[in-house]
Amino acid sequence: MERFFAVGDIHGSVEPLDELLEVWRSNYSDRRLVFLGDYIDRGADPEGVLQRLQSLDADDAAPVFLMGNHEEMLISVIEVLDTPEKQQLFLDAKRISRASYNWIVRRCQYLYETNEYLFAHAGPNPARSLSEQRPSDYAWTFHTGHFPQTNKWVIHGHQTQEAPGIDGNNVNVDTGCGKNGPLSAVLLPELKFITTQSRGPSRTRYDESD
C-alpha cells in the first residue's frame, strides 16, 4: 500500500515546518515525504526552509519535491537576467542563496504520480486532458471540486483554505502558511490531516493572486 506524508505550502516559514517534521520523525517516518511546492516568499526565512528540505534530500528514500508557482516565478526571472551579478542581486533580495536556487532547478518537478495518487502543486487544469497538460498547469491551476480527468486522488496546495479539506477527489492542504496561517499535511492512505499549532506569519504584505 502506498503510504505518504504530503506537506502543503510552506512559504518561508521554518517554525511550522520544523513542527511538522518532528511529527513525521516521531510517528510516520516509514512514509515517504512529498512537498507540494511554494517553499519561498512571504515568510521570514525562505533560505532556512530550503536548507531544511535539502537536508532531507540524501538517499533513495529522499522526498518528492514539487514545483510551486513561486519557484517557477523565481526561475523565470533569473533566466531573463543577463548577468550573474543581476541574478545574485535578485536572489539576495529574495533571501535565497545561489546553491539553494540551483537545488530548486535541479530537484523540483511539476508532477508525481502513483497508482493511487496524483501529486501537484495546483492539480491539473480541468479544461485539458491529462495528456494535454502543460507543466505550468500543475503549478498555477485554480480549481475546486472533482478533477474529471482522473479517478486518482489529486493531492495539492496552492489555494488557501482555513482548513485542509476534501471535495470529490480533490485534497487541498494549503492552509495559509506565510499568510499568518498554520502549515498542514495529509497522511495517505488514511486521508488524515495534521495541522501545526505554530503559524507562518507574513513578513510583508502579499497579493491574493501570488
Side-chain angles (χ1 to χ4, degrees):
M1 183 176 293
E2 299 172 305
R3 294 161 64 84
F4 297 100
F5 189 103
V7 179
D9 304 35
I10 304 167
H11 279 300
S13 303
V14 170
E15 184 177 347
L17 175 58
D18 284 344
E19 184 179 330
L20 265 192
L21 288 176
E22 181 57 34
V23 171
W24 172 74
R25 291 188 182 100
S26 298
N27 302 285
Y28 305 108
S29 60
D30 60 327
R31 297 166 190 253
R32 191 173 190 189
L33 286 163
V34 179
F35 293 96
L36 295 169
D38 277 6
Y39 315 119
I40 64 173
D41 295 335
R42 297 185 182 149
D45 193 4
E47 178 65 18
V49 167
L50 293 170
Q51 290 292 330
R52 296 290 196 282
L53 300 183
Q54 290 172 78
S55 73
L56 299 166
D57 189 13
D59 52 38
D60 291 339
V64 174
F65 301 102
L66 292 171
M67 180 77 72
N69 60 306
H70 284 251
E71 286 76 49
E72 186 181 77
M73 287 190 290
L74 173 69
I75 292 168
S76 68
V77 172
I78 292 296
E79 286 181 342
V80 299
L81 294 174
D82 57 3
T83 68
E85 292 77 17
K86 290 178 182 177
Q87 293 176 353
Q88 190 60 53
L89 283 172
F90 186 74
L91 289 171
D92 289 345
K94 302 290 278 184
R95 292 165 295 131
I96 297 168
S97 69
R98 169 63 74 168
S100 289
Y101 170 78
N102 291 340
W103 176 84
I104 289 171
V105 173
R106 184 178 71 254
R107 286 289 284 121
C108 291
Q109 61 194 75
Y110 283 92
L111 175 69
Y112 179 65
E113 193 169 3
T114 74
N115 292 331
E116 301 290 335
Y117 307 107
L118 187 157
F119 298 91
H121 175 62
N125 184 341
R128 288 193 263 272
S129 69
L130 288 183
S131 63
E132 296 171 324
Q133 298 291 313
R134 303 164 185 169
S136 61
D137 288 330
Y138 290 116
W140 283 96
T141 292
F142 283 94
H143 177 64
T144 59
H146 181 74
F147 286 99
Q149 308 98 315
T150 180
N151 291 322
K152 297 180 181 183
W153 291 105
V154 178
I155 315 297
H156 69 93
H158 186 55
Q159 300 180 79
T160 302
Q161 302 181 156
E162 289 188 6
I166 302 170
D167 189 352
N169 64 340
N170 175 335
V171 182
N172 183 358
V173 289
D174 179 7
T175 48
C177 195
K179 298 181 183 179
N180 300 308
L183 180 62
S184 293
V186 60
L187 294 175
L188 302 170
E190 297 90 339
L191 291 172
K192 173 185 175 183
F193 297 111
I194 298 171
T195 298
T196 61
Q197 295 295 314
S198 57
R199 291 176 172 257
S202 179
R203 187 181 70 97
T204 58
R205 295 186 61 176
Y206 61 89
D207 188 309
E208 286 289 351
S209 64
D210 289 349

